[in-house]
Amino acid sequence: MKRKRLQALKISEPFSFFAPLVAFSSLRDFHGFSTGKRKVKPVEVKEKEAPSFWLEISDSVSQRCSFDHDGRLSVNVLKDTRPLHQKVVESFLNKFFPSGYPYSVNEGYLTYTQFRALQHFSSAALSVLSTQSLLFAAGLRPTPAQATAVSWILKDGMQHAGKLICSSMGARMDSEPKTWRILADVLYDIGTGLEVISPLCPQLFLEMAGLGNFAKGMAVVAARATRLPIYSSFAKEGNLSDLFAKGEAISTLFNVLGIGAGIQLASTVCSTMQGKMIAGPLLSALHIYGVTQEMRATPVNTLNPQRTAMIVADFIKRGNVSSPADLRYHEDLLFPDRLIEEAGNVKVGKPLRESLNPKSLKNLKEVLSNEKFLINRRGKKTYLVLEVNATGEDALRGWLVAAFAAEMDKSGASSLENEILHEAHGKMEKVFPSFLSQVNNRGWHTDQFLDGNRIQYSY
């Protein structure tokens, strides 16, 4: 969309600042002036402010904007030479994309939205087929339209149990929202798949429907819990509510289209069980592919173990810090706990008693006396434990110490563990100011560190 430029500011008529002169007969009488027997009050003349207007002109659209006396803005189109297809596209963008798009969102939002549409379309179509199959398994022969109506009833029961179980994992969802968002859709498709194949064993209808809705209940909680951090990663101008509203509009539109496609499939190629066994996996694969590509396009800017390790590894190898948009396609969404050798093979989140040798705790406190973390190296792994009030900066400091210590260990600079940690800590102190400046400038949030386990120590 082209930015509009301000053509001119014109005032339709000059403001009047003149008021009638009022004569007073005496200082004692200031309510009016005397004309013999009666007093005449002065006439008060209110100033009338004329509305101002201006013209906003782009290459193809001219608009007259003005404020009325109540301060409301009105916009009148004077000329619009845009072709019809451009008008339709811009109208669509205004309804389904945040105001100011693409300047008001971070990189990757369009890709995220495209695959979000694909995800909701395929999921809605698959839902219609699964509901129809459930009713077949129950001995009914509903029409496709009846299947969509009854689907709301089948969401109860075991679904609530799934929601309760999944709700206890909120901290892990904060740490890895992308992974849990994909897991949510996998669980949803598992539940839907159980419903689709339920006519093959009608005697187990209650069990199949219950397990299916149990999986869907977990999926609903995981999907909703990860929605906020994902939307927050795109909010560039504090426009989180606008992003959320337009995202829901996209979801609603393509859910409706998907339901329509599902009804069409249920009436034709999927009217038999054989058709469902072919179309169901295809729709499920399309659904998972869509949500995976959504998450890969999302530039999450909070620090978790995987992203912190990737930031440190890039800094060690190249001397600069990657942005959230740079790292998004390199994140491991299936195995986010993998260790990165260039960042010291750091393992975080284990209890202090399992991470450290009690005999070495005193020495570690002396080497890292002013830090809010403790480090213990065992073989090729490095265990990092954070204090309860540690921030993302503290995690970055600990990770750098671990990476430098691993690097020095490989070079054989010293054989004593305390000496290696002491030298690595000194090296970290030298580079950390410039490193932290790069991290902040690249858009990372360092006020918190989300490890998903919240296992920290205090002494």
Side-chain angles (χ1 to χ4, degrees):
M1 291 188 294
K2 300 180 179 178
R3 290 180 177 272
K4 298 177 181 177
R5 63 179 185 274
L6 188 62
Q7 174 75 359
L9 178 62
K10 300 180 180 179
I11 307 301
S12 60
E13 60 183 71
F15 289 98
S16 174
F17 297 99
F18 297 99
L21 296 175
V22 179
F24 297 94
S25 60
S26 66
L27 291 176
R28 292 174 299 172
D29 187 8
F30 54 87
H31 293 290
F33 57 89
S34 177
T35 57
K37 296 182 179 180
R38 57 182 298 189
K39 292 182 179 180
V40 179
K41 292 185 179 180
V43 179
E44 296 181 0
V45 179
K46 293 183 178 179
E47 296 179 1
K48 180 181 179 182
E49 295 184 0
S52 59
F53 70 89
W54 64 92
L55 300 179
E56 291 187 1
I57 301 175
S58 64
D59 294 338
S60 55
V61 182
S62 298
Q63 295 175 316
R64 183 182 186 274
C65 306
S66 63
F67 291 100
D68 58 20
H69 294 291
D70 296 328
R72 291 190 295 259
L73 175 66
S74 62
V75 180
N76 297 320
V77 178
L78 302 179
K79 185 182 70 170
D80 189 351
T81 59
R82 294 176 298 172
L84 179 60
H85 72 276
Q86 186 178 350
K87 293 180 182 179
V88 173
V89 169
E90 292 188 6
S91 176
F92 178 84
L93 290 177
N94 291 333
K95 288 181 174 61
F96 294 100
F97 281 76
S99 300
Y101 174 85
Y103 307 103
S104 61
V105 296
N106 284 318
E107 184 180 350
Y109 182 74
L110 179 60
T111 304
Y112 169 83
T113 303
Q114 290 172 336
F115 284 105
R116 181 177 173 82
L118 177 64
Q119 171 213 347
H120 281 279
F121 177 85
S122 55
S123 176
L126 187 60
S127 178
V128 173
L129 300 184
S130 70
T131 303
Q132 186 190 45
S133 294
L134 277 176
L135 296 176
F136 282 166
L140 303 176
R141 289 295 178 266
T143 64
Q146 290 172 333
T148 60
V150 178
S151 64
W152 293 99
I153 302 174
L154 298 177
K155 292 182 183 292
D156 297 330
M158 287 290 289
Q159 193 176 60
H160 297 297
K163 289 181 179 180
L164 289 174
I165 292 176
C166 196
S167 62
S168 63
M169 304 175 185
R172 298 181 183 181
M173 298 176 196
D174 279 331
S175 177
E176 291 290 348
K178 293 184 178 185
T179 300
W180 278 90
R181 185 64 182 86
I182 295 174
L183 179 61
D185 284 84
V186 171
L187 287 171
Y188 186 88
D189 282 4
I190 290 175
T192 305
L194 290 172
E195 294 173 349
V196 169
I197 64 174
S198 58
L200 298 178
C201 43
Q203 69 278 9
L204 298 176
F205 167 74
L206 210 52
E207 290 83 352
M208 300 288 279
L211 287 175
N213 278 285
F214 179 80
K216 283 186 174 183
M218 296 184 68
V220 167
V221 171
R224 290 177 179 174
T226 55
R227 190 177 303 170
L228 183 59
I230 290 170
Y231 276 129
S232 298
S233 66
F234 290 110
K236 190 177 181 180
E237 301 176 350
N239 53 341
L240 184 59
S241 296
D242 194 17
L243 277 166
F244 186 84
K246 297 305 169 57
E248 292 304 297
I250 290 286
S251 302
T252 302
L253 173 63
F254 283 90
N255 273 329
V256 171
L257 294 176
I259 288 174
I263 292 174
Q264 184 64 28
L265 287 172
S267 304
T268 54
V269 296
C270 294
S271 58
T272 62
M273 194 61 205
Q274 292 80 359
K276 287 188 179 68
M277 295 297 290
I278 296 174
L282 292 177
L283 286 173
S284 180
L286 196 63
H287 180 213
I288 300 303
Y289 172 74
V291 71
T292 302
Q293 294 304 313
E294 277 181 58
M295 296 303 102
R296 288 175 60 82
T298 304
V300 177
N301 52 13
T302 53
L303 294 179
N304 69 351
Q306 181 179 193
R307 287 188 287 275
T308 303
M310 294 172 71
I311 292 171
V312 171
D314 285 349
F315 182 76
I316 297 293
K317 289 187 292 185
R318 301 197 302 266
N320 55 26
V321 174
S322 301
S323 68
D326 295 332
L327 290 185
R328 56 185 170 155
Y329 286 108
H330 300 288
E331 290 185 67
D332 193 335
L333 301 182
L334 294 180
F335 304 101
D337 295 331
R338 68 184 177 93
L339 302 181
I340 299 178
E341 184 177 357
E342 294 83 356
N345 285 327
V346 175
K347 183 73 175 177
V348 68
K350 293 194 70 175
L352 186 66
R353 63 183 182 276
E354 299 178 12
S355 304
L356 307 179
N357 184 349
K359 296 180 181 180
S360 63
L361 186 59
K362 183 178 179 180
N363 292 333
L364 289 174
K365 288 181 180 179
E366 291 177 356
V367 176
L368 306 171
S369 58
N370 296 322
E371 299 294 349
K372 295 182 178 180
F373 60 85
L374 292 175
I375 288 177
N376 186 36
R377 300 176 65 245
R378 292 181 182 173
K380 294 184 178 180
K381 289 184 180 180
T382 303
Y383 292 93
L384 174 67
V385 187
L386 298 169
E387 279 192 25
V388 291
N389 57 346
T391 65
E393 291 186 20
D394 298 309
L396 289 169
R397 290 173 68 89
W399 236 281
L400 275 177
V401 172
F404 287 142
E407 192 176 50
M408 294 167 62
D409 190 31
K410 284 183 181 179
S411 63
S414 176
S415 58
L416 297 177
E417 185 65 26
N418 284 352
E419 289 184 5
I420 292 177
L421 283 179
H422 183 74
E423 292 181 22
H425 185 267
K427 190 174 181 179
M428 179 275 293
E429 290 282 16
K430 292 179 181 179
V431 302
F432 190 74
S434 62
F435 171 67
L436 181 61
S437 177
Q438 287 191 53
V439 170
N440 291 326
N441 291 336
R442 298 296 275 171
W444 294 100
H445 291 177
T446 59
D447 55 335
Q448 289 182 326
F449 178 76
L450 307 172
D451 68 350
N453 296 311
R454 294 184 178 178
I455 297 177
Q456 299 169 325
Y457 73 95
S458 177
Y459 61 88

